[in-house]
Amino acid sequence: MINIIEKDLFPLREKLKNHKLYSQIKSLNDIQVFTEFHVFAVWDFMSLLKHLQRKLTCINIPWKPKGFPKASRLINEIVWGEESDLDHDGRAMSHFEMYLNAMNQIQSNSSKIKSFLSNWDNKISPTENIEKTELPKFISDFLKFTFEVISLDKEHISAAVFTFGREDLIPEMFIEILKNIKKEDKTNISPLIYYFERHIEVDSDEHGPMALEMVSELCGDNEAKWNEAKIYSKRAMEMRIDLWDGIYSMIN
């Protein structure tokens, strides 16, 4: 079933891999615009990750095993890396905070994401929080999908979106783009390069196979679960492409 899903997703992965956005990023200003909107995807990834941590590990007292040891190990490793990594200066911080610091370094506009988070109201739904904020449609749609997946409260769907919808091909592409820009501009973009390099390092060869095992473990022999995993994985890839389309239009 994993092979079937990967085969079905291949056209979308190729479309994402060869997206026109990459060739459009040619200057520091382009990077500034990119990060201004991409930071929302950096942020909402954490909510999906923490949802999986709640579902697959025990965070209650008294502690009791959840019955997903392989999945628990994967999720705990990724939470550790994403929530409490070391930045390029050796300071402990989350990857989201690392990204914000890199944005500040290159003078990107972080007012949208900061205002969005400061105005978040836990008394209303995530969808209402997103809709009350003036965001481009491609950002609000991307965020709504993430919280739709979370609201379904089905670990096999969340795991599939997490596994197949992530941007494992993208960091390497952006490192090459950033290095080329660094040669032409005197602005220090090393913190942003470090962020993408850390994503490649943290998302090691071990995590990929473990994520596939996680999906297999959660879907088991249930055909309906596999079908849902495939449907939402496709949607996740489509939402990522729509996000890239939106950022491309903002740069262009």
Side-chain angles (χ1 to χ4, degrees), residues 1-9 164 226 229-230 233:
M1 291 303 299
I2 290 290
N3 291 336
I4 291 173
I5 292 178
E6 289 182 331
K7 183 178 179 179
D8 286 347
L9 291 178
F164 297 108
W226 279 111
K230 181 171 68 173
S233 295

Side-chain angles (χ1 to χ4, degrees), residues 195-208:
Y195 167 84
F196 283 114
E197 287 177 337
R198 283 298 291 157
H199 259 272
I200 294 173
E201 185 177 351
V202 171
D203 185 23
S204 62
D205 292 337
E206 183 179 2
H207 285 176

Side-chain angles (χ1 to χ4, degrees), residues 119-180:
N119 291 322
W120 187 277
D121 184 356
N122 287 326
K123 296 179 182 177
I124 62 177
S125 70
T127 298
E128 289 174 305
N129 274 295
I130 295 165
E131 289 179 345
K132 77 174 185 177
T133 308
E134 291 186 7
L135 294 172
K137 187 175 186 298
F138 65 89
I139 294 293
S140 61
D141 287 349
F142 189 88
L143 298 177
K144 285 179 183 178
F145 173 72
T146 299
F147 284 97
E148 175 192 340
V149 169
I150 292 171
S151 69
L152 292 171
D153 202 30
K154 295 183 177 181
E155 52 264 36
H156 63 284
I157 292 178
S158 297
V161 169
F162 176 86
T163 299
F164 297 108
R166 63 187 179 177
E167 47 185 329
D168 56 339
L169 294 174
I170 295 164
E172 291 183 8
M173 298 178 186
F174 277 108
I175 285 176
E176 293 308 310
I177 293 170
L178 291 169
K179 286 180 178 178
N180 288 334

Side-chain angles (χ1 to χ4, degrees), residues 18-192:
N18 298 296
H19 198 281
K20 57 188 177 182
L21 172 65
Y22 310 126
S23 61
Q24 185 65 24
I25 300 176
K26 302 173 182 177
S27 68
L28 178 62
N29 182 70
D30 296 337
I31 288 291
Q32 289 169 337
V33 175
F34 172 81
T35 55
E36 178 181 354
F37 298 105
H38 178 244
V39 68
F40 284 90
V42 177
W43 169 76
D44 85 328
F45 169 80
M46 285 303 301
S47 292
L48 180 62
L49 177 60
K50 299 300 281 188
H51 170 68
L52 278 169
Q53 188 181 34
R54 283 183 175 183
K55 297 293 291 184
L56 302 177
T57 71
C58 182
I59 58 173
N60 299 319
I61 298 173
W63 178 88
K64 296 179 181 179
K66 279 291 188 79
F68 304 111
K70 290 183 180 179
S72 296
R73 179 183 174 187
L74 172 66
I75 294 303
N76 282 332
E77 280 189 9
I78 296 177
V79 168
W80 174 80
E82 289 285 342
E83 201 168 35
S84 55
D85 203 359
L86 298 177
D87 73 353
H88 65 293
D89 289 326
R91 297 173 299 180
M93 66 177 63
S94 68
H95 280 192
F96 173 71
E97 292 166 305
M98 201 183 296
Y99 197 91
L100 282 180
N101 285 347
M103 288 178 67
N104 291 335
Q105 186 73 38
I106 62 173
Q107 298 182 333
S108 295
N109 182 3
S110 59
S111 62
K112 290 184 179 65
I113 184 67
K114 289 179 179 177
S115 175
F116 176 71
L117 294 181
S118 65
N119 291 322
W120 187 277
D121 184 356
N122 287 326
K123 296 179 182 177
I124 62 177
S125 70
T127 298
E128 289 174 305
N129 274 295
I130 295 165
E131 289 179 345
K132 77 174 185 177
T133 308
E134 291 186 7
L135 294 172
K137 187 175 186 298
F138 65 89
I139 294 293
S140 61
D141 287 349
F142 189 88
L143 298 177
K144 285 179 183 178
F145 173 72
T146 299
F147 284 97
E148 175 192 340
V149 169
I150 292 171
S151 69
L152 292 171
D153 202 30
K154 295 183 177 181
E155 52 264 36
H156 63 284
I157 292 178
S158 297
V161 169
F162 176 86
T163 299
F164 297 108
R166 63 187 179 177
E167 47 185 329
D168 56 339
L169 294 174
I170 295 164
E172 291 183 8
M173 298 178 186
F174 277 108
I175 285 176
E176 293 308 310
I177 293 170
L178 291 169
K179 286 180 178 178
N180 288 334
I181 292 173
K182 185 179 180 180
K183 293 176 183 177
E184 301 176 9
D185 193 284
K186 295 181 180 180
T187 303
N188 181 15
I189 59 174
S190 298
L192 193 59

Side-chain angles (χ1 to χ4, degrees), residues 145 148 230-240:
F145 173 72
E148 175 192 340
K230 181 171 68 173
I231 289 171
Y232 278 90
S233 295
K234 279 187 174 182
R235 286 188 61 194
M237 295 290 284
E238 289 166 350
M239 295 306 300
R240 177 69 63 175

